[in-house]
Amino acid sequence: MKEKTIKVLKVEPHKLPEVAELTNQLDALQKAVSIGCDYVGLIEILSLDEKTCILCNEEGKLNGMEPNRRLGDDILCGVFYVTGQDKEGNLTSLPEAAMEAYTARFLFPEEITREEVERILSPRFFFF
């Protein structure tokens, strides 16, 4: 059953992560990932594992949102949220153990330049 509100970890550029509650409805989630943007953006969900995902703005890099944190070879731009997810793909509250783990993972704000973001956006050519 879909939760009406979910307890999540909110991660903003240049800030420490914080626990937040989100209304678990499309329009509210779109507004949540659009903080710092001039319009309501599209949602992107990035699975971290079977029970955890990241909710972010799909166009964060393209619309010039502020670089936030690195995730593997990628850079997340704008605010993002670490949430739980169930087997059906619904967003759920983040379990306490995961809240602690991801708070530690994203604890320190990172200095990321626009040039780094641009390198990720630029087409990559491979020669064989």
Side-chain angles (χ1 to χ4, degrees):
M1 185 170 154
K2 186 175 171 180
E3 297 175 56
K4 292 182 181 183
T5 60
I6 54 176
K7 185 177 173 182
V8 301
L9 183 67
K10 179 181 180 181
V11 184
E12 292 185 81
H14 310 293
K15 294 185 179 180
L16 297 174
E18 63 183 11
V19 177
E21 281 198 6
L22 294 177
T23 301
N24 198 7
Q25 294 180 332
L26 180 60
D27 59 338
L29 297 172
Q30 287 174 317
K31 287 177 186 174
V33 299
S34 299
I35 295 171
C37 185
D38 293 337
Y39 63 94
V40 176
L42 302 173
I43 291 174
E44 182 172 14
I45 297 174
L46 307 169
S47 285
L48 297 170
D49 59 45
E50 291 179 356
K51 297 181 180 180
T52 314
C53 62
I54 287 179
L55 174 71
C56 62
N57 189 310
E58 183 177 40
E59 298 176 332
K61 288 183 203 73
L62 297 174
N63 63 25
M65 294 180 86
E66 198 162 355
N68 190 340
R69 303 291 201 283
R70 290 177 179 83
L71 184 65
D73 293 338
D74 201 2
I75 295 173
L76 300 173
C77 292
V79 64
F80 67 88
Y81 303 86
V82 183
T83 75
Q85 65 180 348
D86 65 19
K87 291 178 183 177
E88 289 79 41
N90 296 309
L91 298 179
T92 64
S93 292
L94 190 62
E96 193 59 39
M99 187 78 72
E100 291 173 13
Y102 285 104
T103 296
R105 163 62 179 88
F106 295 116
L107 183 60
F108 298 108
E110 298 180 51
E111 292 301 319
I112 303 168
T113 65
R114 283 301 311 164
E115 290 77 24
E116 289 179 84
V117 175
E118 293 297 324
R119 278 195 299 268
I120 289 174
L121 286 173
S122 66
R124 296 182 178 131
F125 297 97
F126 299 97
F127 298 96
F128 297 95

